[in-house]
Amino acid sequence: MPKKTAPEVDTAKPGMYFHYAGLTDVGIVRSHNEDAYQLPLEQDADTLAEKGYFYVLADGMGGHEKGEVASAVAIESTISGYYA
């Protein structure tokens, strides 16, 4: 029986591929959605290679006034701080 060898790996190409998506839902209790998320869609390839992929989800404030603003600010400040 012939000896099996491992396939050659091209180290110039990334070894892992993945897909990502985001979705929030208002649910059955609230009248509007205060949740927010950010995917690293606006980052260039060099930045992603250096710093990695950073995903953020901010849960809303449960109906408190301006909860959607709080979650949006949390997302923006976290992303901008990470990729600074």
Side-chain angles (χ1 to χ4, degrees):
M1 182 174 258
K3 186 177 181 180
K4 292 184 179 182
T5 59
E8 289 188 35
V9 176
D10 183 357
T11 57
K13 295 181 181 178
M16 180 177 11
Y17 298 94
F18 58 93
H19 299 274
Y20 50 85
L23 175 70
T24 65
D25 185 68
V26 69
I28 58 175
V29 176
R30 308 276 180 231
S31 62
H32 67 284
N33 193 348
E34 297 180 347
D35 301 340
Y37 65 89
Q38 178 90 25
L39 305 174
L41 301 176
E42 298 177 6
Q43 303 303 321
D44 62 83
D46 290 337
T47 300
L48 292 173
E50 179 186 339
K51 297 200 173 195
Y53 291 74
F54 188 57
Y55 305 87
V56 182
L57 169 66
D59 193 19
M61 298 289 292
H64 292 280
E65 188 173 333
K66 302 293 182 187
E68 68 279 4
V69 174
S71 60
V73 167
I75 294 288
E76 183 59 36
S77 61
T78 304
I79 290 289
S80 63
Y82 182 80
Y83 286 116

